[in-house]
């Protein structure tokens, strides 16, 4: 090549590199040209881990609705009889239930189990939001009225998820107005800033559905102390006002006159303690004082800089580029419609993927409550399903992206919470089944409700504990942190194993089965629902592996292995499906949203295309029969299933369905899944699990490591011919970057935190690589054999 041509080539390369860098630097945004009218479908979520807030952007009056994860009605203080749902001595009915099941008297077994083996719940009292199971609560709304004259022009409302900052801008008359919103985790505050080009009057009021115990305004700080009506849980919310105007407080309303700038630095704390059995005692007033004192010297700019550093440290670990974004120039709600109508827009897909990571960073951080069904966003005192922790898919799905999308720290609240429920869970195991170990069932609240739910068909699911324990193991599998494994994870996993070692029972043919069992939410009471067996296999396998890593408990591990290997093997039925039950009774027209018997395929690892191809094939038959519709989370689960089955196009189809524009707010239990204009996933109604499950699903399409082998681009769809992903994590604490072109892997870069050998696989190419701690290794596709 002559010099000129070489130069030209270099310039072109540089240009395309710069282009790429610029394209990556352009922030990911959800944006709209009108204010939100509706909380669930249009308002935009911000948070600082503890607090979830929604802003609307109405120029006349901003509404900032907020909640804090530990604000929970119910529990012992709502009803002294509350006993974590436990019915003492319920286990005495277990032999009879088993006997009836063995005799084929299913209806009688159901009747008895429904009467005696369901949790104790005490009904709603007058003027209270719920039964003593309780419900997560909204704290209330801050309303900020801004004076202005003239019609509104140039309205813009956005959520920039690259920076985790919400913005509203508009003009009225000759004035320009802006609002900036963000959550700051390190300082535990939310920050809301309002500006106007001319001095305006700002009127601020806090409205709460809870009892007002005290309210005060001193100097530049407003404080509201309240309590819940049913359980007298106390909380206090407070905000500091930084303004160039003149504040005055009268009758609960703060008026600031002559202001061009008003910033509210806001926090809330409750008296909740994540500690069995009292769950109370946090010195919330002191906690708030400490937060406000620490924030005292921090201006808006300083809090923003602190937040940016904290957020970018997590968010920027992963970047995804799926080609040229097409439709950034139209508002997100229209963009979503155009995309679903067939317009290619990989930029929207990147946005949706990263939105899950944004939502996770905003709602689950070390020291906070874990995400519940709606994450940390709840505007109600009586939210759907109590906005609780459902363990038969939902709370686990919420955390699926944590490790693989490099947000391992965000997993910790679930792990801490799991630790806190072992003690009540042991009581439940003892009283319902007379076993060792611990359990939780379908519905779990903030007050140790570990018993089965109060109706057998949806409420009976003791497998919840072992499934939660999978997260404890995965945190180790991804981080390799042996101290954590020894001190935190292993003892809890071992106890979860003990339950299954005692509960599984001989079927008379030498197999161990789960009885009674209930495949989540359908099919009736049974002996040997496949999901139970898969979950038992999973916890026993992980515990055996953990004992080996730690060099401990050899005898116990041997017993666990003997039991695991006697569990009734996975059954393939008459239409070649993976059986959901021990009996070959699956209905090939069943479209139920739960696809529980495929747990072994995802999030489990018992079934894989490479190691158990026959079962994988049967899983595929079952999944095809279930179809491609469902609730939001069900669609998201199917993205993950098809990714594990390495069918990228099908996974992509399902991912697209998750983004289907919907507006339905009622409850649809079968096929209403999609996303609202604010891209929050619709069950419907809103549940955050669908967002999180989809983010995890996209990661699964690009990288898998559940079998111990790092699989590169295992399910790349045709829709993403060219792209790159950086910063995903594989088990073994390896960070993986991949680039691909024309649907084929170009390069992979592996960065391991330990010196180790790893096997990587791309298609049929399997390569062993030696990784040196801290040294990135890049391989080209042609280097793989
Ligand atoms: C499970 C699911 C429902 C819903 C609820 C919160 O019971 O079967 O679809 O997601 O959790």
């Amino acid at each position: 090549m002559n010099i000129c041509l070489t130069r030209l080539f270099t310039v072109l390369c540089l240009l395309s590199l710069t282009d790429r860098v610029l394209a990556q630097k352009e922030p990911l945004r959800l944006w709209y040209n009108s204010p939100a009218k509706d909380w669930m479908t249009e308002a935009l979520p911000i948070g600082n881990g503890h607090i979830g807030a929604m802003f609307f952007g109405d120029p006349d009056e901003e509404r900032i609705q907020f909640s804090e994860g530990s604000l929970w009605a119910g529990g012992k203080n709502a009803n002294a009889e509350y006993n974590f749902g436990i019915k003492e001595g319920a286990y005495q009915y277990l032999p009879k239930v088993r006997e009836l099941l063995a005799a084929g008297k299913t209806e009688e077994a159901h009747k008895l189990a429904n009467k005696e083996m369901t949790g104790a719940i005490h009904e709603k009292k007058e003027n209270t939001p719920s039964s003593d199971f309780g419900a997560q609560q909204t704290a209330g709304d801050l309303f900020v009225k801004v004076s202005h004259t003239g019609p509104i022009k140039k309205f813009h409302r956005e959520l920039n998820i690259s920076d985790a900052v919400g913005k509203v801008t508009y003009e009225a008359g000759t004035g320009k107005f802006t609002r900036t919103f963000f959550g700051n985790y390190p300082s535990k505050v939310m920050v809301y800033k309002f500006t106007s080009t001319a001095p305006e009057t700002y009127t601020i009021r806090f409205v709460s559905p809870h009892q007002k115990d005290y309210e005060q305004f001193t100097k530049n700080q407003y404080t509201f102390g309240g309590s819940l009506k049913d359980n007298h849980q106390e909380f206090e919310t407070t905000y500091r006002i930084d303004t160039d105007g003149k504040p005055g407080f009268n009758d609960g309303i703060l008026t600031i006159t002559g202001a061009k700038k008003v910033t509210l630095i806001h926090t809330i704390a409750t008296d909740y303690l994540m500690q069995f059995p009292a769950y109370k005692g946090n010195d919330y007033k002191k906690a708030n004082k400490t937060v406000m004192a620490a924030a005292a010297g921090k201006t808006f700019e300083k809090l923003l800089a602190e937040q940016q550093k904290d957020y970018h440290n997590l968010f920027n670990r992963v970047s995804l580029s799926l080609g040229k974004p097409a439709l950034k120039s139209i508002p997100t709600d229209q963009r979503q419609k155009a995309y679903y109508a067939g317009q290619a827009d990989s930029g929207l897909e990147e946005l949706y993927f990263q939105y899950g990571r944004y939502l996770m960073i905003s709602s689950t951080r070390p020291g906070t409550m874990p995400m519940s069904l709606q994450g940390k966003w709840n505007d109600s005192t009586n939210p759907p399903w109590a906005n609780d922790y459902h363990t038969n898919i939902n709370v686990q799905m919420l955390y699926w992206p944590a490790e693989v999308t490099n947000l391992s720290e965000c997993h910790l609240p679930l792990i801490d919470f799991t630790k806190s429920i072992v003690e009540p869970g042991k009581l439940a195991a003892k009283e319902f089944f007379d076993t060792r170990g611990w359990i939780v069932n379908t519905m779990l609240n903030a007050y140790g409700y570990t018993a089965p739910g109060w109706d057998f068909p949806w409420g009976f699911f003791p497998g919840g504990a072992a499934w939660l324990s999978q997260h404890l193991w995965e945190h180790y599998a991804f981080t390799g942190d042996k101290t954590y494994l020894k001190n935190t994870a292993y003892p809890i996993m071992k106890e979860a194993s003990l339950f299954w070692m005692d509960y599984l029972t001989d079927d008379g043919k030498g197999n161990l089965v789960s009885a009674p069992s209930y495949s989540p939410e359908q099919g009736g009471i049974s002996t040997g629902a496949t999901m139970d067996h898969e979950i038992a296999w999973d916890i026993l396998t992980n515990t055996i592996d953990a004992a080996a890593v730690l060099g401990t408990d050899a005898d116990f591990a041997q017993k666990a292995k003997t039991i695991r290997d006697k569990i009734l093997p996975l059954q393939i039925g008459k239409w070649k499906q993976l059986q959901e039950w021990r009996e070959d009774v699956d209905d090939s027209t069943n479209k139920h949203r739960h696809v529980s018997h495929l747990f072994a395929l995802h999030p489990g690892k018992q079934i894989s295309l490479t190691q158990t191809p026959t079962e994988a094939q049967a899983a595929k038959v079952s999944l095809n029969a279930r179809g491609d519709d469902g609730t939001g989370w069900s669609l998201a689960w199917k993205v993950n299933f098809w990714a594990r089955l390495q069918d990228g196009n099908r996974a992509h189809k399902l991912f697209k369905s998750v983004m289907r524009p919907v507006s339905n707010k009622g409850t649809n239990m079968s096929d209403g899944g999609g996303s609202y204009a604010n891209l929050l996933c619709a069950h419907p109604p809103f549940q955050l699990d669908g967002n999180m499950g989809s983010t995890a699903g996209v990661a699964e399409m690009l990288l898998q490591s559940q079998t111990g082998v790092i699989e590169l681009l295992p399910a790349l769809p045709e829709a993403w011919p060219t792209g790159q992903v950086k910063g995903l994590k594989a088990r073994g604490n390896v960070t993986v970057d991949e680039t691909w072109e024309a649907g084929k892997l170009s390069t992979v870069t592996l960065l391991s935190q330990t010196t180790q050998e790893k096997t990587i696989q791309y298609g049929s190419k399997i390569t062993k690589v030696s990784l040196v701690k801290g040294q990135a290794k890049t391989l080209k596709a042609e280097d793989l054999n």
Side-chain angles (χ1 to χ4, degrees):
M1 215 187 281
N2 71 34
I3 286 189
C4 273
L5 274 180
T6 314
R7 280 220 183 113
L8 183 65
F9 181 71
T10 316
V11 168
L12 282 176
C13 284
L14 279 175
L15 267 182
S16 74
L17 191 70
T18 321
D19 271 348
R20 258 187 244 164
V21 171
L22 277 180
Q24 273 169 20
K25 282 212 165 150
E26 215 173 296
L28 293 161
R29 283 196 179 103
L30 287 78
W31 67 273
Y32 309 84
N33 51 22
S34 58
K37 289 196 178 70
D38 182 66
W39 181 88
M40 184 169 73
T41 61
E42 295 174 334
L44 292 171
I46 51 170
N48 69 356
H50 303 268
I51 304 171
M54 289 275 216
F55 68 93
F56 286 65
D58 185 336
D60 291 333
E61 186 171 51
E62 181 56 70
R63 175 181 169 202
I64 302 163
Q65 181 281 329
F66 68 99
S67 180
E68 198 274 347
S70 69
L71 199 62
W72 259 87
K76 230 181 184 52
N77 296 314
N79 188 328
E81 284 176 85
Y82 174 77
N83 190 26
F84 319 102
I86 287 163
K87 279 185 194 156
E88 276 165 26
Y91 61 83
Q92 57 193 292
Y93 298 96
L94 179 61
K96 185 73 189 165
V97 171
R98 284 184 169 169
E99 199 184 298
L100 290 167
L101 279 172
K105 297 181 178 166
T106 313
E107 234 168 81
E108 282 176 54
H110 170 83
K111 257 195 204 143
L112 184 61
N114 198 37
K115 180 159 179 275
E116 306 293 352
M117 301 192 71
T118 44
I121 194 77
H122 305 94
E123 280 316 315
K124 181 171 151 46
K125 288 189 282 177
E126 221 181 313
N127 295 328
T128 60
S130 62
S131 64
D132 61 5
F133 179 85
Q136 205 274 324
Q137 301 288 298
T138 177
D141 300 83
L142 272 172
F143 290 99
V144 182
K145 211 171 174 45
V146 189
S147 70
H148 55 73
T149 43
I152 304 299
K153 290 173 292 184
K154 297 194 181 166
F155 181 90
H156 178 85
R157 174 172 67 101
E158 73 168 39
L159 180 61
N160 169 340
I161 64 161
S162 298
D163 296 332
V165 174
K167 272 224 155 75
V168 176
T169 52
Y170 57 93
E171 294 179 12
T174 52
K176 289 187 177 158
F177 298 79
T178 71
R179 300 174 191 173
T180 311
F181 308 108
F182 63 89
N184 174 317
Y185 168 70
S187 285
K188 211 178 166 181
V189 292
M190 302 297 292
V191 181
Y192 323 123
K193 181 175 180 180
F194 297 75
T195 70
S196 41
T197 42
E200 301 287 350
T201 301
Y202 291 78
T203 315
I204 307 173
R205 64 200 164 97
F206 173 57
V207 179
S208 174
H210 306 299
Q211 182 170 304
K212 188 203 286 184
D213 296 332
Y214 57 93
E215 181 182 47
Q216 52 188 235
F217 181 73
T218 43
K219 251 168 66 190
N220 63 343
Q221 194 160 313
Y222 169 85
T223 302
F224 175 101
S227 52
L228 306 192
K229 287 169 193 148
D230 73 332
N231 64 1
H232 314 293
Q233 186 190 33
E234 293 169 21
F235 69 95
E236 186 184 86
T237 185
T238 185
Y239 61 82
R240 180 184 99 206
I241 303 123
D242 292 351
T243 181
D244 56 354
K246 195 170 172 303
F249 187 68
N250 189 19
D251 209 12
I253 294 177
L254 174 71
T255 307
I256 305 170
T257 48
K260 286 188 184 176
K261 262 192 265 178
V262 173
T263 303
L264 307 182
I265 319 287
H266 176 216
T267 196
I268 175 174
T270 77
D271 69 8
Y272 178 83
L273 268 189
M274 197 190 281
Q275 232 169 58
F276 173 82
Y279 295 104
K280 201 176 173 80
N282 182 39
D283 190 345
Y284 60 100
K285 292 184 191 172
K286 191 171 159 209
N288 276 350
K289 274 206 181 78
T290 310
V291 165
M292 295 315 278
K298 296 180 185 171
T299 57
F300 170 87
E301 287 72 24
K302 200 159 179 193
L303 286 166
L304 181 62
E306 184 181 63
Q307 176 260 2
Q308 290 294 295
K309 191 169 169 221
D310 170 68
Y311 182 76
H312 287 152
N313 171 41
L314 293 166
F315 188 77
N316 292 350
R317 288 177 189 172
V318 172
S319 66
L320 174 67
S321 168
L322 297 172
K324 283 231 178 268
L327 288 169
K328 270 200 295 210
S329 54
I330 60 171
T332 306
D333 44 348
Q334 293 173 31
R335 186 178 182 185
Q336 184 193 7
K337 285 182 187 146
Y339 167 78
Y340 195 70
Q343 171 84 48
D345 185 358
S346 59
L348 186 68
E349 296 172 330
E350 291 160 25
L351 181 71
Y352 202 89
F353 165 78
Q354 290 286 24
Y355 195 37
R357 298 184 67 247
Y358 162 81
L359 291 162
M360 177 166 265
I361 300 168
S362 305
S363 65
T364 172
R365 303 292 299 275
T368 72
M369 293 294 282
M371 289 181 277
S372 53
L373 287 169
Q374 296 176 190
K376 290 279 156 68
W377 295 279
N378 169 26
D379 69 332
S380 169
T381 52
N382 189 17
W385 289 284
N387 188 23
D388 69 359
Y389 309 99
H390 261 59
T391 72
N392 66 2
I393 177 69
N394 317 88
V395 71
Q396 292 91 344
M397 183 180 284
L398 284 164
Y399 281 89
W400 285 349
E403 301 293 340
V404 68
T405 76
N406 214 335
L407 296 173
S408 197
E409 303 90 326
C410 295
H411 215 166
L412 296 176
L414 182 69
I415 293 168
D416 289 344
F417 188 60
T418 302
K419 196 170 170 183
S420 81
I421 53 179
V422 171
E423 223 174 317
K426 279 185 179 174
L427 292 180
K430 179 89 198 110
E431 295 303 331
F432 283 95
F433 304 111
D434 197 21
T435 63
R436 296 170 296 170
W438 69 286
I439 54 165
V440 297
N441 286 267
T442 312
M443 280 179 80
L444 179 57
N445 64 6
Y447 300 118
Y449 188 99
T450 43
W454 43 101
D455 204 10
F456 201 79
W458 58 259
F460 187 83
F461 185 63
W467 193 346
L468 281 174
S469 301
Q470 184 187 62
H471 285 253
L472 274 76
W473 169 251
E474 292 290 4
H475 185 66
Y476 164 75
F478 277 90
T479 62
D481 182 347
K482 282 193 194 159
T483 313
Y484 150 83
L485 182 66
K486 179 165 180 263
N487 298 333
T488 303
Y490 183 72
I492 299 173
M493 291 166 62
K494 184 176 172 184
E495 291 287 339
S497 292
L498 283 173
F499 168 75
W500 286 103
M501 288 162 80
D502 289 355
Y503 187 63
L504 290 168
T505 176
D506 202 295
D507 69 350
K509 295 176 199 146
N511 301 305
L512 290 176
V513 291
S514 170
S517 62
Y518 213 107
S519 197
E521 309 199 28
Q522 60 145 350
I525 191 171
S526 65
T527 298
T530 302
M531 179 183 237
D532 274 10
H533 299 161
E534 294 173 339
I535 286 181
W537 184 95
D538 194 76
I539 183 63
L540 293 172
T541 301
N542 293 340
T543 310
I544 295 162
D545 289 352
V549 170
L550 297 172
T552 187
D553 263 355
D555 289 350
F556 166 79
Q558 188 49 50
K559 270 185 213 135
K561 191 171 176 318
T562 310
I563 289 178
R564 181 197 63 185
D565 294 345
K566 276 181 73 182
I567 296 175
L568 181 75
L570 299 172
Q571 307 284 304
I572 296 176
K574 53 181 181 276
W575 46 278
K576 299 194 168 38
Q577 85 283 13
L578 188 76
Q579 285 179 209
E580 185 160 357
W581 295 276
R582 184 179 61 153
E583 299 78 18
D584 190 359
V585 293
D586 300 74
D587 171 358
S588 60
T589 64
N590 179 5
K591 305 285 177 209
H592 201 273
R593 64 194 179 284
H594 285 271
V595 200
S596 308
H597 50 316
L598 267 55
F599 170 93
L601 177 67
H602 183 279
K605 59 189 170 198
Q606 191 181 355
I607 297 180
S608 67
L609 274 179
T610 46
Q611 294 174 354
T612 57
T614 311
E615 285 76 10
Q617 192 50 40
K620 198 177 204 170
V621 171
S622 293
L623 196 55
N624 269 321
R626 247 354 184 246
D628 289 347
D629 221 328
T631 57
W633 64 255
S634 181
L635 297 172
W637 200 357
K638 288 167 190 162
V639 176
N640 289 273
F641 286 139
W642 284 112
R644 288 266 167 110
L645 289 169
Q646 303 193 354
D647 186 335
N649 289 342
R650 194 71 171 268
H652 184 258
K653 178 183 176 214
L654 266 307
F655 179 47
K656 191 169 171 182
S657 300
V658 178
M659 285 190 271
R660 182 164 74 112
V662 291
S663 53
N664 182 2
K665 291 192 240 163
T667 306
N668 177 326
M669 297 304 290
S670 53
D671 58 3
S675 293
Y676 298 118
N678 54 11
L679 300 188
L680 290 176
C681 195
H683 177 285
F686 156 51
Q687 279 183 208
L688 201 72
D689 42 19
N691 288 95
M692 297 306 187
S694 313
T695 292
V698 170
E700 287 283 330
M701 290 163 77
L702 302 174
L703 181 74
Q704 290 175 30
S705 61
Q706 68 280 1
T707 60
V709 172
I710 299 180
E711 295 184 59
L712 307 172
L713 303 181
L716 188 68
E718 280 160 20
W720 301 341
T722 299
Q724 81 171 40
V725 65
K726 279 189 174 172
L728 292 180
K729 288 299 287 279
R731 289 164 184 82
N733 210 351
V734 183
T735 309
V736 183
D737 305 342
E738 297 163 302
T739 61
W740 63 94
E741 263 167 56
K744 297 242 168 347
L745 182 79
S746 308
T747 62
V748 56
T749 302
L750 304 155
L751 174 64
S752 173
Q753 294 311 316
T754 51
T755 295
Q756 59 179 332
E757 288 263 306
K758 273 278 168 195
T759 305
I760 58 174
Q761 178 160 10
Y762 174 60
S764 57
K765 294 178 177 175
I766 301 176
T767 312
K768 276 207 175 351
V769 284
S770 300
L771 301 172
V772 179
K773 180 181 175 175
Q775 287 181 20
K777 183 169 214 158
T778 299
L779 296 158
K780 294 197 180 118
E782 52 268 30
D783 298 336
L784 309 175
N785 0 220

